[in-house]
Amino acid sequence: MSMDAYRWAKSWRGELSAPELAVLLTIADRFNDSEGRAWPSYRTIADDTRLSRRTVIRSMAALSSVGLVEVSHRRDKAGDATSNNYRLPLYRDDSAPVDNPKHPP
């Protein structure tokens, strides 16, 4: 967990809906400073925020469209979808590119 990323997200004063802010705070709460990204699944974000998975997906699209979150879809070795990589470019523009092949198991 990155307290700095969480504080950054909590202090964001741009126009966000309540669900968008909840999703941003969850990504920031799970942001790994040494990796420069977070990788919770939509289901994990939904569980953490008490939002529906669909609302999380819509909120993530809104956050991506304003440049707060960069999303990269990941696949496992079998080619099946797994959790995404999320980068917070306005928090830390030097964080790891989202297509970095190194990721936790």
Side-chain angles (χ1 to χ4, degrees), residues 64-91:
S64 294
S65 73
V66 297
L68 285 170
V69 178
E70 284 184 7
V71 181
S72 175
H73 305 287
R74 298 186 317 158
R75 301 229 173 246
D76 63 18
K77 292 178 182 177
D80 297 322
T82 184
S83 64
N84 296 324
N85 275 325
Y86 305 100
R87 194 170 86 93
L88 302 173
L90 298 180
Y91 162 62

Side-chain angles (χ1 to χ4, degrees), residues 47-103:
D47 289 346
D48 285 358
T49 60
R50 310 303 191 267
L51 299 169
S52 72
R53 186 175 182 277
R54 183 68 201 134
T55 298
V56 168
I57 292 168
R58 278 194 306 268
S59 296
M60 194 66 68
L63 293 170
S64 294
S65 73
V66 297
L68 285 170
V69 178
E70 284 184 7
V71 181
S72 175
H73 305 287
R74 298 186 317 158
R75 301 229 173 246
D76 63 18
K77 292 178 182 177
D80 297 322
T82 184
S83 64
N84 296 324
N85 275 325
Y86 305 100
R87 194 170 86 93
L88 302 173
L90 298 180
Y91 162 62
R92 234 182 77 185
D93 63 359
D94 67 332
S95 59
V98 291
D99 61 350
N100 185 337
K102 181 181 172 194
H103 63 277

Side-chain angles (χ1 to χ4, degrees), residues 20-56:
E20 292 163 4
L21 180 59
V23 170
L24 179 62
L25 288 169
T26 298
I27 294 295
D29 186 48
R30 292 179 170 277
F31 192 81
N32 182 309
D33 275 314
S34 65
E35 291 282 331
R37 60 199 157 145
W39 50 89
S41 67
Y42 286 137
R43 174 57 33 215
T44 297
I45 297 168
D47 289 346
D48 285 358
T49 60
R50 310 303 191 267
L51 299 169
S52 72
R53 186 175 182 277
R54 183 68 201 134
T55 298
V56 168

